[in-house]
Amino acid sequence: MNIQISERTLHFRQPAGTSRGTYLTRHIWLVSISDGQYTGIGECAPLPRLSCDDLPNYRQLLQEACDDVAQTGRLDTERLRSYPSILFGLETAMLHLQRRQTVLFDTPFGRGEEGIPINGLVWMGSHDEMLQRIEEKMKAGYRCIKLKIGAIGFDEELDLIGFIRSRFTKQEVELRVDANGAFAPDEALQKLELLAQYGIHSIEQPIRQGQWDEMARLCRLSPLPIALDEELIGVNTPDEKNRLLDTIHPAYIILKPSLHGGMAGSTEWIGLARERQIGSWITSALESNIGLNAIAHYAAHTYGPDIRMPQGLGTGLLFTDNIAMPLEIRGERLWVIDN
């Protein structure tokens, strides 16, 4: 096998604001694996200051992993547990090479027979900016809207949520909120109680990760279902995963293959969660369309036909200079188009 690595910087159409800061650009590595007849492409995209493999020597680690695949012809998933974005990119490239097409799994979604329901993502911004974005998502027909909160002031965010609920019941529009760890532990429960009045589906990561006992307490007492996202980052072995789920026991876990162990590690997480009646869904992590395509096909393969739970796969329009892939959003669903 011949493997090549290239780098690209993508540019957001509008600033992507979170409680940890605002993204204007996104740096990614593309790996191309060729057998002399066909080439498979994957994306390695660690998130700055968040991914457990966002390391100064990332390029060297990626090269070493590629060299190992080139020499052995196989992907050592155990060796790459601690480098989820590298593992995910190589998994994608090898599946692409094996399948000889960008449809990585044989599913109704991959055959273009059904679309995957997705949430409409509303980034942090000023009150007026978020209000405009919410209205755009509702006009587009989304029945599940995810709001990034924790930056403009909690009262203003409650006002925005109240605006949605004044127009749509929880049966008409499902609301999810993502705090990205913005709440202080001593104020989190009170804020969760206020949010619960608006029929919120769930809240992602209300407090900063690493506070297992405090998060477990919130999960026991919160009137609002709690989903873990950042909490799963860096928890890479089965023993660690079991201990986290048994200690915190959230309502949901949210899997981003680039952050949570590639496809192999995400499948492991989902299986362990199911054993404990913990729900899950899959989202992208601001990858280009190459990563998004792989995640979408993985989600369809993992959850089977007729997915009901909206997935976090509506990120294909984020960049001005994205990479073309056969995906299309129609209404509130992501579809494969002519391959």
Side-chain angles (χ1 to χ4, degrees):
M1 291 184 179
N2 178 267
I3 305 181
Q4 301 293 325
I5 302 171
S6 60
E7 299 182 45
R8 287 189 65 163
T9 297
L10 305 175
H11 299 82
F12 284 90
R13 292 182 185 277
Q14 60 187 32
T18 76
S19 59
R20 290 185 303 271
T22 299
Y23 292 108
L24 300 176
T25 61
R26 182 77 163 98
H27 194 74
I28 64 172
W29 284 261
L30 299 177
V31 291
S32 302
I33 305 180
S34 175
D35 61 4
Q37 293 182 316
Y38 195 85
T39 299
I41 300 176
E43 177 178 355
C44 303
L47 277 167
R49 303 180 303 280
L50 183 61
S51 296
C52 65
D53 54 0
D54 175 37
L55 300 167
N57 61 336
Y58 186 87
R59 180 63 170 77
Q60 176 188 343
L61 293 167
L62 176 57
Q63 185 66 61
E64 291 172 357
C66 289
D67 290 344
D68 183 64
V69 171
Q71 291 166 14
T72 65
R74 58 182 291 273
L75 182 59
D76 188 345
T77 56
E78 284 298 315
R79 177 172 172 259
L80 293 175
R81 274 187 182 272
S82 298
Y83 309 105
S85 66
I86 293 175
L87 175 57
F88 175 62
L90 289 170
E91 285 175 322
T92 300
M94 294 191 75
L95 274 172
H96 188 189
L97 179 63
Q98 291 162 9
R99 292 275 297 173
R100 297 290 203 265
Q101 58 179 335
T102 57
V103 175
L104 303 184
F105 299 95
D106 183 17
T107 64
F109 169 72
R111 296 191 294 271
E113 297 167 2
E114 64 180 42
I116 298 175
I118 60 176
N119 60 247
L121 178 59
V122 175
W123 289 99
M124 289 179 179
S126 69
H127 181 279
D128 290 344
E129 287 171 340
M130 292 185 72
L131 181 58
Q132 178 185 347
R133 293 167 193 169
I134 290 167
E135 290 180 319
E136 289 170 354
K137 295 298 181 186
M138 291 193 292
K139 286 178 182 176
Y142 284 92
R143 292 197 296 271
C144 177
I145 293 177
K146 174 180 170 179
L147 293 169
K148 293 276 189 179
I149 63 173
I152 66 171
F154 188 67
D155 290 340
E156 287 185 278
E157 289 161 350
L158 283 179
D159 180 59
L160 287 167
I161 293 168
F163 166 76
I164 299 174
R165 277 289 169 256
S166 71
R167 296 181 59 185
F168 298 95
T169 67
K170 66 179 182 179
Q171 288 75 31
E172 294 171 317
V173 172
E174 179 180 288
L175 287 178
R176 300 174 180 174
V177 295
D178 182 1
N180 286 126
F183 298 166
D186 60 355
E187 65 182 16
L189 186 57
Q190 180 185 11
K191 289 185 173 181
L192 294 177
E193 290 169 347
L194 291 170
L195 286 166
Q197 300 175 40
Y198 295 98
I200 305 295
H201 171 271
S202 58
I203 181 169
E204 295 179 34
Q205 204 68 41
I207 62 173
R208 182 174 45 82
Q209 67 265 37
Q211 305 174 86
W212 286 17
D213 290 341
E214 189 60 36
M215 186 69 85
R217 185 184 74 86
L218 286 177
C219 288
R220 287 196 310 270
L221 300 177
S222 173
L224 184 60
I226 291 175
L228 301 186
D229 179 356
E230 290 95 332
E231 199 73 67
L232 312 181
I233 296 171
V235 181
N236 297 317
T237 68
D239 285 347
E240 291 175 318
K241 293 175 182 180
N242 279 314
R243 190 164 66 86
L244 182 147
L245 294 175
D246 287 338
T247 299
I248 300 178
H249 206 91
Y252 301 100
I253 58 172
I254 301 168
L255 283 310
K256 295 180 171 72
S258 289
L259 296 177
H260 301 135
M263 299 184 206
S266 297
T267 298
E268 192 171 74
W269 272 117
I270 291 168
L272 295 173
R274 283 174 174 165
E275 291 173 5
R276 296 161 171 82
Q277 289 76 54
I278 295 170
S280 67
W281 66 87
I282 292 169
T283 83
S284 60
L286 308 182
E287 295 91 353
S288 77
N289 279 336
I290 289 178
L292 175 63
N293 178 76
I295 295 165
H297 286 288
Y298 169 69
H301 172 71
T302 299
Y303 293 125
D306 193 26
I307 297 175
R308 300 297 178 91
M309 173 82 78
Q311 309 293 299
L313 304 174
T315 56
L317 302 176
L318 286 178
F319 305 107
T320 60
D321 45 5
N322 211 332
I323 300 164
M325 291 294 282
L327 297 173
E328 181 179 70
I329 295 176
R330 301 179 209 155
E332 61 163 1
R333 289 180 178 264
L334 182 69
W335 293 82
V336 169
I337 56 178
D338 185 5
N339 202 35

